[in-house]
Amino acid sequence: MKTRIFAGVLTAMALFGLSVGAQVAQAMEFEEGTHYERLTVPVQTADDTRVEVVEAFSYACVHCKTFDPAVEAWHHEQGAGVDFQRMPAIFNPTWAIFAQAYYTAEVLGVTDQVHAPIFKAIHEQGKDLRDPAAMAVLFETFAGVPKADFDQVYSSFGVRSKMQQAQAHGRAYGLTGTPSMIVDGLFRTDGQMAGSNAMMLEVVDYLVAIQAEDRGIDLPPPATLQAPAGLTADGE
């Protein structure tokens, strides 16, 4: 019975143009300490005019690779009121190497071109990208970055500084695994707390809505959904 009622709530919301994420965020309530945790000490966000959402991930993490298409689609559904960022987690030397590659791409402005190919090369093609020379080949293949440019940025002070900041933020966020998501420097959730990685995004929607309302940030209306065939706003 509860399932049918919940489905009916979602259908009604769809008729009024609410996205699936917004539907679930408004039709369900998530509990602090169960579905998400409050950070012990709040972490300052990069832009206090928007609600910040950070995905902590690693190219070494197969769950992050599987989750990436969903979080990428979610990212592109967000409006100007949400500031989405990725942050590589650094738990060991291998993860540090991949974080270095991520920030190299960021500095070079080629993240969009190499992000998915790095995941694919590691987890589908079995390539060992811990070797900077192999990573440089990937950057040149997918983003046209000359090896000399890759090498210069990869070993730069700027990239090392970004890695140090990521390590500090990881400690402040209390990260223990990936993928995890942090909302507005206040809350952390992950697949285990939320129930699944897919549900993690619904928890994030819920927290974003709460923070936006609390801080008076306008979120643009979500994309509308088509009403089911044969069903009108009057339910006929």
Side-chain angles (χ1 to χ4, degrees), residues 14-165:
L15 294 175
F16 289 95
L18 294 177
S19 70
V20 173
Q23 292 168 25
V24 177
Q26 294 183 38
M28 296 182 66
E29 287 193 9
F30 297 101
E31 295 182 0
E32 182 175 336
T34 300
H35 302 101
Y36 62 92
E37 294 180 344
R38 185 181 296 267
L39 301 185
T40 304
V41 178
V43 178
Q44 184 174 356
T45 59
D47 183 352
D48 60 9
T49 67
R50 298 190 286 170
V51 179
E52 181 180 273
V53 177
V54 176
E55 181 208 8
F57 83 103
S58 173
Y59 289 124
C61 167
V62 68
H63 301 294
C64 298
K65 191 262 186 189
T66 303
F67 182 53
D68 191 65
V71 75
E72 184 69 14
W74 177 91
H75 168 211
H76 288 292
E77 290 175 355
Q78 306 310 304
V82 175
D83 179 20
F84 173 71
Q85 301 177 26
R86 286 187 173 92
M87 187 199 78
I90 302 175
F91 292 143
N92 56 52
T94 294
W95 287 40
I97 290 171
F98 292 136
Q100 192 169 356
Y102 176 82
Y103 285 123
T104 298
E106 185 174 86
V107 171
L108 289 168
V110 297
T111 306
D112 289 345
Q113 293 96 309
V114 303
H115 183 68
I118 292 174
F119 270 131
K120 183 175 181 179
I122 295 170
H123 297 287
E124 295 182 22
Q125 300 171 348
K127 293 184 178 180
D128 187 353
L129 296 184
R130 292 173 296 179
D131 181 357
M135 188 68 77
V137 170
L138 186 146
F139 271 60
E140 186 166 16
T141 300
F142 290 95
V145 176
K147 185 177 185 302
D149 293 350
F150 173 88
D151 291 342
Q152 181 178 7
V153 174
Y154 185 80
S155 59
S156 68
F157 173 79
V159 167
R160 290 198 300 273
S161 295
K162 286 176 178 289
M163 292 175 64
Q164 291 172 354
Q165 292 172 7

Side-chain angles (χ1 to χ4, degrees), residues 180-224:
S180 297
M181 300 188 79
I182 299 88
V183 177
D184 229 21
L186 293 174
F187 305 107
R188 181 187 66 253
T189 186
D190 57 31
Q192 184 174 358
M193 283 189 282
S196 69
N197 284 344
M199 188 58 70
M200 175 166 45
L201 291 173
E202 309 301 350
V203 176
V204 169
D205 279 334
Y206 175 79
L207 294 172
V208 166
I210 289 175
Q211 287 304 104
E213 181 176 3
D214 184 59
R215 295 172 53 199
I217 296 174
D218 291 330
L219 297 179
T224 58

